[in-house]
């Protein structure tokens, strides 16, 4: 590997490294060939001024993200009954994660691991440098939105009042048919017009944001919508539905606007915004997409737990997941049409784990019994409860049952992940492998999504460890560091 041009002191315009990828290709008859493929990975080194546009700016996630970044920027401390608190980014892989980058030989003999912060492998944006704006169907300013969400401590929200109250969501694209009827009481800020007109208005908002920033990212963190079925199969289907003013979910209108403006569109909710016709449009127009549905709590834990159980050779046979939550997301999900989108998104996360072990899961054998239940209990607010029962078959058909009970502020888990997908999405949009940019789907962001969308629908990685390894190894390869094969053969381990 040539790391000569990745010397950060000399501030190169492009960080360029040659990386030799290794993998083994199998034939149907079980024979295989070890492949070595040389790639050039180039990353533009200049970090742009970024404008982040949130769809659902005034929601629990949107308002918590804005307040959290303001608290960081202005180093605001706040008091609760447990004492004085200072801002942190705990829960963010980019801001708090580290990775082993190599070893150091000790003067007296022996070795020690060397770690680096993930954010320092390549030049990345500082989250507090972003301009955050966006749309909401409610015109409450962000001070009112933070008060409404009951996520952050009142002392902090009050200290940020002068900044927060100046941020008012822009008028939103809205189609009530696709979200729960119980959301109607917050609708007072919507764009009027045909599909075509609304797309044009959103594009104008994006262009305005582009005028103040060098790059723009749109992130959907609005209500979970009902699935649109049948899917829009082709660009022609999509364009016809827009032109004929067919009733389309708002997310499709935002996504088409983002594609046309060639800005990255990230989908934090489970609905099927990325129809085949939308993906084809992104490919044709040079759009970039990442999704779907933030993987923040229960599903993230499930994909780590299944790594552990199946990785240890145990046969998980049943997983029953139950949640109750009392925030506005829970209220919206209490309507079955929206819950079904969430259920689909939460259900597929074990597919690759099952596929990967034919001893535990023979092709003609039974899958895992897996069910997901969500209930709306207003009293618990944003503090979501997740109860999971994992039952595995063990030696000689015994049964091992592990039950977990997790209580956590939902938005305080989601916001660091939103920051991560923006930081890395922005970075990946500055990278080229062998002269070609990533896209139309930024599959490397799968680590942050419950139901990852990839450029190969048949190849989706859900495993927590594999997703993390893939992203970390890409960052290392692009920064000139050899991804470690972990054999330790040279060190007499
Ligand atoms: P929320 O209900 O508090 O916020 C959603 C916001 O979107 C509301 O302010 C609403 O007025 C607004 N909105 C609805 N339709 C809109 C439209 N067409 N255009 C613009 N704004 C619109 O929900 P929360 O808790 O912030 O979650 C947001 C989304 O993230 C939900 O879909 C949720 O399922 C998803 N999600 C959240 C996770 C978490 O909080 N841990 C994890 C995984 C996904």
């Amino acid at each position: 590997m040539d790391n000569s041009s990745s010397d950060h002191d000399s501030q190169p315009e492009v960080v360029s490294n040659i990386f030799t990828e290794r993998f083994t290709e199998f034939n149907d008859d079980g024979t295989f060939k070890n492949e070595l493929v040389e790639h050039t990975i180039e990353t533009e080194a200049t970090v742009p001024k970024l404008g982040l546009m949130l769809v659902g700016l005034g929601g629990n996630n949107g308002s918590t993200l804005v307040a959290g970044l303001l608290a960081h920027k202005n180093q605001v401390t706040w008091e609760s009954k447990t004492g004085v608190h200072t801002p942190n980014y705990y829960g963010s892989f980019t801001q708090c994660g580290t990775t082993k980058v190599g070893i150091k030989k000790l003067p007296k003999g022996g070795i020690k691991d060397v770690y680096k912060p993930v954010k320092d492998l390549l030049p990345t944006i500082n989250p507090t440098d972003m301009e955050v704006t966006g749309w909401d169907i409610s015109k409450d300013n962000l001070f009112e939105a933070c008060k409404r969400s009951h996520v952050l401590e009142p002392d902090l929200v009050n200290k940020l009042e002068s900044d927060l109250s100046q941020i008012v969501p822009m008028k939103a694209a809205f189609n009530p048919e696709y979200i729960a009827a119980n959301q109607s009481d917050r609708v007072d800020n919507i764009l009027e017009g045909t599909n075509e007109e609304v797309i044009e208005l959103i594009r104008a908002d994006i262009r305005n944001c582009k005028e103040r920033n060098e790059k723009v990212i749109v992130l959907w963190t609005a209500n979970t919508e009902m699935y649109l079925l049948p899917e829009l199969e082709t660009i022609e289907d999509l364009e016809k539905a827009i032109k004929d003013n067919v009733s389309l979910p708002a997310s499709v209108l935002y996504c088409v606007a983002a594609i046309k403006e060639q800005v990255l569109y990230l989908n934090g909710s489970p609905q099927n915004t990325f129809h085949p016709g939308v993906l084809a449009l992104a490919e044709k127009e040079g759009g970039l997409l990442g999704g779907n549905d933030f993987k923040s709590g229960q599903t993230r834990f499930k994909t780590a737990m299944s790594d552990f159980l199946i990785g240890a050779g145990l046969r998980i046979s049943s997983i029953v997941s139950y949640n109750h939550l009392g925030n506005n997301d829970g209220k919206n999900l209490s309507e079955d049409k929206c819950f079904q989108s969430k259920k689909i998104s939460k259900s597929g996360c074990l597919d690759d784990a099952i596929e990967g072990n034919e001893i535990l899961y023979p092709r003609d054998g039974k899958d895992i019994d897996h069910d997901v239940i969500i209930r709306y209990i207003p009293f618990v607010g944003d503090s979501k409860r997740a109860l999971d029962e994992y039952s595995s078959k063990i030696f000689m058909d015994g049964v091992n049952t592990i039950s977990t009970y997790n209580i956590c502020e939902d938005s305080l888990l989601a916001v660091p992940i939103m920051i991560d997908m923006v930081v890395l999405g922005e970075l990946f949009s500055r990278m080229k492998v062998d002269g070609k940019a990533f896209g139309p789907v930024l599959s490397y962001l799968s680590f942050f999504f419950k139901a990852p969308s990839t450029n190969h629908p048949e190849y989706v990685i859900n495993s927590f460890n594999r997703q993390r390894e893939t992203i970390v190894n890409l960052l290392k390869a692009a920064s000139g560091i050899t991804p470690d094969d972990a054999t330790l053969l040279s060190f007499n381990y």
Side-chain angles (χ1 to χ4, degrees):
M1 186 176 301
D2 162 22
N3 66 355
S4 56
S5 54
S6 66
D7 176 356
H8 289 232
D9 292 342
S10 60
Q11 303 250 322
E13 280 174 18
V14 174
V15 179
S16 177
N17 281 291
I18 308 226
F19 172 67
T20 305
E21 182 190 16
R22 293 148 197 262
F23 59 92
T24 301
E25 189 175 337
F26 277 82
N27 300 311
D28 287 343
D29 62 4
T31 56
F32 61 85
K33 201 168 135 217
N34 292 322
E35 301 279 2
L36 293 179
V37 186
E38 197 164 274
H39 299 286
T40 304
I41 310 181
E42 291 169 301
T43 311
E44 276 175 46
T46 311
V47 176
K49 167 104 180 68
L50 185 70
L52 173 61
M53 305 186 80
L54 299 179
V55 188
L57 177 66
N60 283 23
N61 289 347
S63 59
T64 306
L65 181 138
V66 172
L69 292 182
L70 279 171
H72 269 276
K73 193 171 187 169
N74 303 324
Q75 283 304 305
V76 179
T77 60
W78 67 99
E79 237 180 302
S80 75
K81 66 182 177 187
T82 61
V84 177
H85 306 269
T86 50
N88 69 52
Y89 282 116
Y90 296 162
S92 163
F93 163 74
T94 56
Q95 306 307 302
C96 296
T98 64
T99 182
K100 184 185 157 200
V101 285
I103 58 102
K104 198 180 247 178
K105 291 195 172 138
L106 300 171
K108 290 185 180 159
I111 52 168
K112 133 180 213 221
D113 290 338
V114 176
Y115 287 85
K116 245 187 158 188
V118 170
K119 66 178 161 51
D120 293 344
L121 290 170
L122 289 164
T124 54
I125 59 158
N126 176 347
T128 57
D129 291 342
M130 298 188 285
E131 178 201 297
V132 186
T133 63
W135 306 267
D136 205 291
I137 54 175
S138 156
K139 64 169 177 267
D140 282 4
N141 68 49
L142 281 237
F143 175 68
E144 289 157 345
C146 282
K147 291 267 184 198
R148 175 177 60 191
S149 72
H150 303 289
V151 176
L152 296 167
E153 291 287 344
D155 187 37
L156 174 62
V157 176
N158 290 333
K159 283 183 169 166
L160 297 171
E161 178 174 359
S162 60
D163 285 328
L164 286 172
S165 55
Q166 285 169 35
I167 307 172
V168 180
M170 294 182 286
K171 284 189 177 176
F174 181 57
N175 185 344
E177 284 174 35
Y178 286 87
I179 63 170
N182 62 30
Q183 298 296 306
S184 58
D185 53 358
R186 61 200 283 148
V187 182
D188 61 3
N189 197 37
I190 56 175
L191 293 169
E192 303 288 348
T194 61
N195 288 338
E196 278 177 324
E197 286 162 352
V198 169
I199 290 171
E200 278 314 310
L201 291 167
I202 301 168
R203 289 186 65 176
D205 290 338
I206 296 174
R207 281 198 297 272
N208 274 337
C209 190
K210 275 182 178 169
E211 277 173 23
R212 300 185 301 270
N213 297 283
E214 288 152 342
K215 199 184 268 184
V216 170
I217 292 179
V218 175
L219 167 56
W220 175 280
T221 181
N223 291 49
T224 293
E225 294 175 329
M226 173 180 84
Y227 260 47
L228 167 63
L229 292 171
E231 297 216 297
L232 301 161
E233 286 300 331
T234 61
I235 299 183
E236 292 69 37
D237 291 345
L238 171 65
E239 285 175 345
K240 186 168 183 328
I242 293 170
K243 196 161 188 310
D244 294 353
N245 216 25
V246 168
S247 171
L248 291 175
S251 64
V252 169
L253 306 184
Y254 285 103
C255 187
V256 168
I259 290 170
K260 299 257 179 199
E261 289 299 322
Q262 296 186 314
V263 304
L264 171 60
Y265 181 92
L266 298 166
N267 178 27
S269 299
Q271 67 267 353
N272 60 340
T273 307
F274 302 159
H275 296 253
V278 173
L279 288 164
L281 184 74
E283 172 117 58
K284 180 175 156 219
E285 307 251 346
L288 263 186
L289 307 174
N292 301 285
D293 204 6
F294 305 129
K295 182 158 101 165
S296 59
Q298 191 172 44
T299 306
R300 187 164 249 219
F301 187 77
K302 197 174 283 178
T303 59
M305 187 63 136
S306 59
D307 277 355
F308 156 57
L309 290 170
I310 298 176
L314 298 179
R315 188 195 190 284
I316 306 176
S317 294
S318 134
I319 304 182
V320 186
S321 294
Y322 161 87
N323 323 184
H324 63 262
L325 71 169
N327 57 16
N328 190 54
D329 182 28
K331 189 175 170 193
N332 182 59
L333 293 175
S334 66
E335 197 162 300
D336 192 61
K337 67 182 189 193
C338 301
F339 166 69
Q340 288 306 328
S341 302
K342 199 57 134 187
K343 185 164 173 159
I344 294 169
S345 158
K346 278 183 170 254
S347 298
C349 67
L350 299 165
D351 293 353
D352 54 332
I354 297 173
E355 186 76 17
N357 193 324
E358 271 197 57
I359 301 174
L360 298 175
Y361 303 100
R363 293 293 157 259
D364 53 357
K366 265 180 74 192
D367 281 350
I368 298 174
D369 288 342
H370 183 196
D371 205 353
V372 178
I373 297 132
I374 302 180
R375 289 285 177 269
Y376 174 52
I377 305 292
F379 180 76
V380 302
D382 202 56
S383 182
K384 183 153 97 182
R385 271 67 164 155
L387 289 88
D388 290 82
E389 186 186 88
Y390 296 81
S391 290
S392 307
K393 278 199 172 182
I394 58 171
F395 189 50
M396 303 307 285
D397 257 356
V399 177
N400 172 24
T401 299
I402 299 174
S403 300
T404 60
Y405 180 36
N406 178 240
I407 304 178
C408 191
E409 301 279 356
D410 221 14
S411 297
L412 299 182
L413 280 183
V415 166
I417 288 168
M418 293 162 74
I419 291 173
D420 286 339
M421 60 179 66
V422 169
V423 169
L424 290 177
E426 188 290 308
L427 170 65
F428 294 153
S429 68
R430 272 186 278 131
M431 284 170 70
K432 281 191 175 144
V433 178
D434 304 325
K436 191 177 172 301
F438 292 128
V441 181
L442 281 186
S443 320
Y444 285 96
L445 295 178
S446 296
F447 188 40
F448 308 109
F449 293 114
K450 273 205 252 304
S453 197
T454 73
N455 291 304
H456 297 272
E458 81 293 349
Y459 195 79
V460 177
I461 301 172
N462 288 291
S463 149
F464 179 87
N465 288 326
R466 276 195 70 199
Q467 286 177 335
R468 193 181 197 278
E469 194 179 20
T470 304
I471 211 166
V472 158
N473 284 355
L474 170 69
L475 295 175
K476 286 183 193 168
S479 64
I481 290 167
T482 303
D484 195 331
D485 66 13
T487 60
L488 295 172
L489 290 176
S490 300
F491 309 106
N492 192 25
Y493 183 63

